[in-house]
Amino acid sequence: MKTAIFSCAIAIFSTLATALPAAAPVEPAVGNLASRDHVKQVINSSAVVNINEDTPDTALGVSGAGIVSRAGSKHNSRALVKFDFPEGLGRYKCRLAFGNPVEFSGTGEIQVYTIGGANIESATFNQRPFRDQFKGTFRVAGSGEAVVVDGSGLTFDCPAKGAKAYEVVSVGDNNEVFWYAPSAGLRVDVM
Ligand SMILES: *[C@@H]1O[C@H](CO)[C@@H](O)[C@H](O)[C@H]1NC(C)=O
């Protein structure tokens, strides 16, 4: 009941916001990105495991940082990022977002893919859940929120309770993006 009223209020608010962009003092701004105003909940990553082409059979294990980089078409470092979706989000949309890296260089562009399993803890470059579907491309351009370059697959129906994992990879060469997890990097906004 409460949820229905809330959804209804959101629908009305969306309509008003479209019609009257200047008259929407309904809730305090959550930063300067309009698209973030409707975020109900943020799901931070529950595990990040880096896999590295230079040590392809070594399980680097769960890390406090994600490192995505590539140099000279080699030396790939990719990050597998897991989320534990809680119960009860079935009515909502989830959206992958990326923010607050500590370091970046090169194009700063990274792509996100779904992977074929959430069992990432002992993954290596050679043995890991297979890469599945392309979700989107971000460009890290500063220490705040990354720019969405291709958002085609970033928004999806929130899944039932359970874990899902994604792979973050570098676009192009001589590129690096580094973030501390779980407080930054890839996250899921519930809308
Ligand atoms: C997610 O990370 C942000 C940034 O550090 C933090 O403010 C927030 O409390 C975290 N949320 C949860 C549910 O842990």
Side-chain angles (χ1 to χ4, degrees), residues 1-11 40 91-92:
M1 186 65 182
K2 230 177 170 176
T3 314
I5 290 167
F6 188 52
S7 306
C8 184
I10 290 282
K40 294 180 176 64
R91 309 167 55 90
Y92 299 107

Side-chain angles (χ1 to χ4, degrees), residues 16-17 19-25:
L16 284 176
L20 306 165

Side-chain angles (χ1 to χ4, degrees), residues 34-112:
S35 62
R36 294 192 69 182
D37 288 355
H38 295 289
V39 174
K40 294 180 176 64
Q41 186 181 336
V42 173
I43 304 172
N44 293 329
S45 54
S46 60
V48 171
V49 173
N50 297 301
I51 54 175
N52 195 312
E53 189 174 16
D54 293 338
T55 53
D57 296 313
T58 305
L60 301 173
V62 174
S63 175
I67 306 163
V68 170
S69 62
R70 200 176 93 176
S73 303
K74 292 171 143 211
H75 312 297
N76 263 295
S77 177
R78 298 171 181 152
L80 306 181
V81 183
K82 175 149 85 173
F83 296 94
D84 292 327
F85 289 89
E87 218 171 330
L89 297 182
R91 309 167 55 90
Y92 299 107
K93 290 283 183 193
C94 279
R95 182 182 60 195
L96 288 161
F98 191 97
N100 308 313
V102 276
E103 227 176 272
F104 62 96
S105 61
T107 63
E109 284 199 18
I110 52 175
Q111 288 180 331
V112 181

